[in-house]
Amino acid sequence: MKSDGAKAVISLLAAGYIWFVSRTSRWQVINGEAPHARMTAGEPFILAFWHGRLLMMPISVQRKTPVHVMISHHGDGEIIARTIKHWGQESIRGSATKGAAAAIKQMLKVLKKGEVAVITPDGPRGPRMRAQEGVVRLAALSGLPVYPVSFSTTRGKILGSWDRFFLAAPFSRGVVIWGDAIEVPRHDKDGAFQKARNAIEDSLNEITHAADKACGREMVEPEPRDKLVKPHKKAAEN
């Protein structure tokens, strides 16, 4: 996994697998009219999804939509960055635990150019399905809405990783569900940021559970909010 060649091969295979699942499955998109209209018009917004639903997120955005995804500096993040590159999507390296300020600054530049900024509010290490403050900071500073999105499929497997990563399988019936836009005020008055954070978290959990229910799957539950999270032992070198 430390080999550059190995990362290149794995990312190519991962991108191919996403394509295979997407092309062999029947997909239904629910409540996607507003974000799709913004993508068609070239209007920026913040796209948020849980880390465990990362696999099929490349298909949630329209083709040729300029996208930048915030991805951690860890070695796994390098593979993810290379994988989405095959889908024409760019990455910004950083997370809530390392390089947060610089990553937020770069994301703001992306949004100012009219592109879509993508963030996993519970990444890179959780707690699972609990929103951290980064997504709220980005929305407050940019003045742009957050659109939550999630997916599920009838065939696939929940892995035993911290995020309960969902590995969708080919030849499925799949659903992509968007939440309504969530606006975050510029200033944290009367607990506005915490309210927005709760709204993003609640929306993501609601649509994730709805997607799993629609596909006949057992729902994944959030981790306790106060769960201690161990940092990665070593971040990948850029």
Side-chain angles (χ1 to χ4, degrees):
M1 292 294 287
K2 294 181 179 180
S3 164
D4 189 69
K7 291 177 182 178
V9 171
I10 292 170
S11 63
L12 180 60
L13 291 173
Y17 184 78
I18 295 169
W19 177 88
F20 187 56
V21 173
S22 69
R23 293 300 295 269
T24 61
S25 301
R26 293 182 292 111
W27 295 93
Q28 178 186 13
V29 179
I30 298 175
N31 198 38
E33 295 83 4
H36 284 191
R38 293 186 73 102
M39 285 185 270
T40 299
E43 298 176 358
F45 65 92
I46 300 164
L47 186 158
F49 59 84
W50 291 139
H51 200 278
R53 300 298 161 125
L54 186 149
L55 182 68
M56 301 307 297
M57 282 302 102
I59 73 168
S60 67
V61 297
Q62 296 174 347
R63 292 185 62 184
K64 298 184 179 180
T65 297
V67 171
H68 277 73
V69 185
M70 185 183 292
I71 298 173
S72 74
H73 288 282
H74 190 259
D76 294 344
E78 177 64 21
I79 293 174
I80 295 170
R82 293 186 183 210
T83 298
I84 65 171
K85 182 73 172 178
H86 289 295
W87 279 80
Q89 300 178 3
E90 303 295 333
S91 61
I92 290 175
R93 307 306 296 272
S95 69
T97 55
K98 183 175 181 180
I104 290 290
K105 186 175 181 179
Q106 291 183 63
M107 294 288 257
L108 288 170
K109 290 181 179 179
V110 164
L111 291 166
K112 191 173 182 180
K113 290 195 301 181
E115 301 182 5
V116 174
V118 180
I119 189 169
T120 53
D122 61 343
R125 296 293 289 168
R128 177 181 66 252
M129 302 171 74
R130 297 297 186 185
Q132 300 178 26
E133 65 177 12
V135 63
V136 174
R137 288 174 55 198
L138 182 60
L141 290 169
S142 67
L144 292 170
V146 177
Y147 279 91
V149 66
S150 192
F151 86 94
S152 190
T153 58
T154 52
R155 300 182 69 246
K157 182 178 181 181
I158 298 291
L159 304 185
S161 54
W162 70 268
D163 58 355
R164 297 299 185 268
F165 189 87
F166 179 52
L167 183 64
F171 308 103
S172 296
R173 178 174 56 83
V175 61
V176 176
I177 303 182
W178 291 84
D180 294 333
I182 298 172
E183 305 282 351
V184 179
R186 295 276 190 172
H187 304 289
D188 188 14
K189 184 179 180 181
D190 298 326
F193 285 2
Q194 185 59 52
K195 291 177 183 177
R197 181 175 171 178
N198 291 343
I200 293 168
E201 181 178 300
D202 290 345
S203 178
L204 277 169
N205 285 335
E206 180 181 343
I207 61 177
T208 299
H209 287 167
D212 283 340
K213 184 177 180 180
C215 292
R217 305 198 61 84
E218 183 177 350
M219 300 178 187
V220 177
E221 296 300 330
E223 288 184 311
R225 193 182 303 277
D226 58 353
K227 181 183 178 182
L228 295 177
V229 178
K230 293 182 179 180
H232 286 296
K233 292 182 178 180
K234 185 177 181 179
E237 295 294 335
N238 290 333

